[in-house]
């Protein structure tokens, strides 16, 4: 009975925190402390938006076995979302949303990712990089254990 009471109490606290947006407000505070605009966190419609949103489609059916993070990063940098050198400027409106994750099943033609770009040419380049970053296997991948081993002294 005591455990159930504790669980119910924790759920109430969690639900109240969500309704009061405590975590979001704390995140906005972090942004403001680093010189950012807290209002952009509380009102995301204020953030810059890309002109184009282009889907990256799966060319085959299967299961997502791997996603090469470095290739995703290079694709984002290609869009202008990162610096190639210290003189490069960052375009805050661009980015990549990965809609399929490792171990997800995918059908041919299904969206793997969404490219947010301000240039069609850069979007095409980034799209190719993202498509190549996804490794799709015919059979579902075996999930690696969360804990490989426990070391005891």
């Amino acid at each position: 009975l005591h455990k159930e009471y504790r669980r119910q109490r924790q759920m109430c606290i969690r639900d109240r925190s969500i309704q009061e947006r405590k975590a979001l407000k704390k995140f906005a505070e972090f942004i403001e402390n680093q010189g950012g605009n807290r209002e952009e966190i509380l009102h995301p419609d204020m953030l810059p938006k890309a002109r184009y949103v282009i889907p990256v489609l799966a060319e085959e059916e299967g299961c997502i076995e791997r996603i090469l993070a470095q290739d995703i990063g290079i694709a984002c940098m290609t869009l202008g979302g990162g610096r190639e050198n210290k003189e490069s400027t960052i375009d805050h409106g661009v980015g990549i949303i990965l809609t399929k994750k490792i171990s997800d099943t995918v059908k041919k033609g299904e969206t793997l990712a969404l490219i947010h770009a301000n240039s069609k040419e850069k979007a095409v380049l980034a799209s190719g990089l993202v498509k190549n970053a996804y490794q799709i296997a015919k059979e579902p991948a075996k999930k690696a254990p969360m804990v490989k081993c426990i070391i005891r002294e």
Side-chain angles (χ1 to χ4, degrees), residues 39-67:
E39 291 304 311
E40 290 177 345
I41 301 304
L42 300 172
H43 307 283
D45 52 308
M46 294 174 64
L47 294 169
K49 292 176 182 42
R51 273 185 247 155
Y52 308 102
V53 179
I54 297 162
V56 177
L57 306 176
E59 293 182 344
E60 60 185 311
E61 187 174 299
C63 185
I64 308 297
E65 186 175 51
R66 260 175 88 180
I67 304 171

Side-chain angles (χ1 to χ4, degrees), residues 39-99:
E39 291 304 311
E40 290 177 345
I41 301 304
L42 300 172
H43 307 283
D45 52 308
M46 294 174 64
L47 294 169
K49 292 176 182 42
R51 273 185 247 155
Y52 308 102
V53 179
I54 297 162
V56 177
L57 306 176
E59 293 182 344
E60 60 185 311
E61 187 174 299
C63 185
I64 308 297
E65 186 175 51
R66 260 175 88 180
I67 304 171
L68 303 174
Q70 185 172 0
D71 291 1
I72 301 295
I74 292 168
C76 192
M77 188 177 66
T78 301
L79 294 169
R83 288 193 172 100
E84 195 169 347
N85 55 52
K86 66 180 183 176
E87 288 80 28
S88 299
T89 58
I90 295 177
D91 182 347
H92 296 282
V94 303
I96 302 167
I97 298 174
L98 304 179
T99 57

